[in-house]
Amino acid sequence: MTVFWNAAAGKLVERWLATGFAASVYWLTLAVLWLLGTGRPRQEAAHRLHEFGGLETGEQVALLLIGLVVLAGSSLLMQQLTLPALQLLEGYWPRWAEPLSLRLRERHMRWATAYEVEADLLLRRHRGLSAAQGGGPPLAVDELVRLGRLEEKLRWVPRPERMLATPLGNVLRAAETEPLDKYGLDAMVLWPHLWTVLPDGLRQDLAAARRRVDSVVAAGVWGLLLLPAVLHTSWTLLALPFVFVMWWGVLPGACREFGLLMGVAFDLHRSDLYRVLRHPLPPDAAAEIPAGERLTAAVLRGSDDQALVYVPDP
């Protein structure tokens, strides 16, 4: 029986970890909060462990299996909640929240306009333009730093008509629409096609970056799911700063990392997309956007344009 118990325990631990480390941490934290709410956590924990140790081996295995099922179910539920949570954080809100969304979009547009005006003035001075040309004296060191920060902010700001209600949504919207602005290629339409021609290394990096985004979103949701325990102990309120750090501190950086990699994919491998779809490559920079728009339209709706001559397979 000892050999069986050791083997079973080893398998259970493997399954326990496979179902998701985050779910394990959530339920462990919930258990700790419950113990803290009893007022005598050490005694209560010792009592519960003593009760568990007094059970028959079959009963212990049954309880562990129940725990494994709960962990697996929690992980599956979180997988379903992660995307809706990310969409809410991006600013894709229900219709009844449209007035608030509109006010926030207008505020982001005002900020973006102010950033653009300030950055344009600093850039003119940095280029050595005279006051008559809208420039001025050379930039000081702190002004150069300010220019760099403004350019970094503006990189993650979409066009006004594409603005969303949250800064996080605007970061992802800017990343999604950058290939459209640069090359006429709509990432929402062409991403599945481009993915198939990317090298394995880049695909792995993109997948890892997306997993990081999802894991940070999920971490915040786990934190929110702890809040009902506030009825039992006020220690639960510590989940609120954790959620704030995850969603407002860590998540924007994870989204920018994913957006950068998406831009790299289009910058380096859009020619492979033209090749596999047998569309002619744009001959110069001026033809880039029209060619990309034609490729996007052909994938989205098909094309009967007689001027479009497919490139023969090599």
Side-chain angles (χ1 to χ4, degrees):
M1 181 59 71
T2 303
V3 175
F4 168 78
W5 171 249
N6 291 336
K11 293 295 183 182
L12 284 174
V13 170
E14 291 178 7
R15 293 294 298 167
W16 192 286
L17 295 175
T19 55
F21 177 74
S24 303
V25 172
Y26 168 77
W27 287 107
L28 179 60
T29 305
L30 203 60
V32 170
L33 290 173
W34 179 81
L35 290 172
L36 290 172
T38 63
R40 47 190 188 92
R42 293 181 63 182
Q43 295 86 340
E44 189 66 29
H47 174 65
R48 297 297 177 180
L49 289 174
H50 178 73
E51 285 187 340
F52 181 79
L55 297 175
E56 297 292 334
T57 301
E59 294 174 326
Q60 292 178 345
V61 172
L63 285 177
L64 289 175
L65 288 174
I66 292 173
L68 182 60
V69 170
V70 170
L71 279 179
S74 303
S75 298
L76 290 174
L77 176 62
M78 185 53 62
Q79 291 175 12
Q80 301 303 313
L81 292 177
T82 299
L83 180 58
L86 178 58
Q87 290 174 334
L88 287 175
L89 291 170
E90 288 183 76
Y92 295 104
W93 297 342
R95 184 167 297 180
W96 55 263
E98 184 60 28
L100 175 61
S101 177
L102 179 60
R103 287 197 294 271
L104 291 174
R105 291 199 303 267
E106 290 174 346
R107 186 173 68 174
H108 289 309
M109 284 188 280
R110 289 195 298 271
W111 287 348
T113 300
Y115 291 154
E116 288 175 352
V117 171
E118 184 181 359
D120 182 65
L121 177 59
L122 292 174
L123 192 59
R124 288 173 181 270
R125 290 173 55 193
H126 183 56
R127 291 173 176 172
L129 299 181
S130 64
Q133 297 173 307
L139 296 182
V141 174
D142 59 330
E143 290 176 317
L144 284 171
V145 173
R146 175 62 177 170
L147 176 60
R149 290 176 177 172
L150 287 172
E151 289 180 334
E152 176 65 17
K153 287 181 179 180
L154 289 172
R155 176 173 186 173
W156 302 108
V157 174
R159 291 184 178 181
E161 65 273 13
R162 302 171 185 159
M163 200 75 71
L164 291 174
T166 67
L168 181 69
N170 289 326
V171 166
L172 289 174
R173 178 63 67 87
E176 292 167 356
T177 57
E178 183 184 44
L180 182 62
D181 295 334
K182 291 169 65 175
Y183 308 121
L185 300 171
D186 191 335
M188 302 300 291
V189 175
L190 298 172
W191 183 250
H193 303 75
L194 180 63
W195 179 264
T196 63
V197 299
L198 294 179
D200 289 340
L202 182 53
R203 280 197 289 187
Q204 291 173 7
D205 290 342
L206 280 161
R210 182 52 197 258
R211 283 195 301 271
R212 182 166 183 250
V213 171
D214 291 342
S215 65
V216 175
V217 173
V221 178
W222 285 121
L224 291 180
L225 292 177
L226 289 172
L227 291 180
V230 75
L231 299 175
H232 186 63
T233 173
S234 59
W235 285 100
T236 309
L237 293 176
L238 292 175
L240 290 176
F242 171 78
V243 173
F244 181 84
V245 169
M246 287 294 102
W247 284 356
W248 279 270
V250 181
L251 186 56
C255 290
R256 284 192 289 269
E257 179 185 355
F258 179 73
L260 285 172
L261 289 172
M262 180 183 290
V264 168
F266 276 95
D267 290 342
L268 299 184
H269 300 285
R270 67 186 185 279
S271 59
D272 296 327
L273 189 62
Y274 280 94
R275 176 179 52 78
V276 296
L277 293 172
R278 298 177 57 205
H279 277 239
L281 284 169
D284 51 46
E288 185 90 55
I289 290 181
E293 292 174 345
R294 184 167 60 246
L295 177 62
T296 299
V299 171
L300 182 62
R301 295 180 295 271
S303 176
D304 57 359
D305 184 2
Q306 295 183 355
L308 175 60
V309 179
Y310 289 120
V311 177
D313 291 328

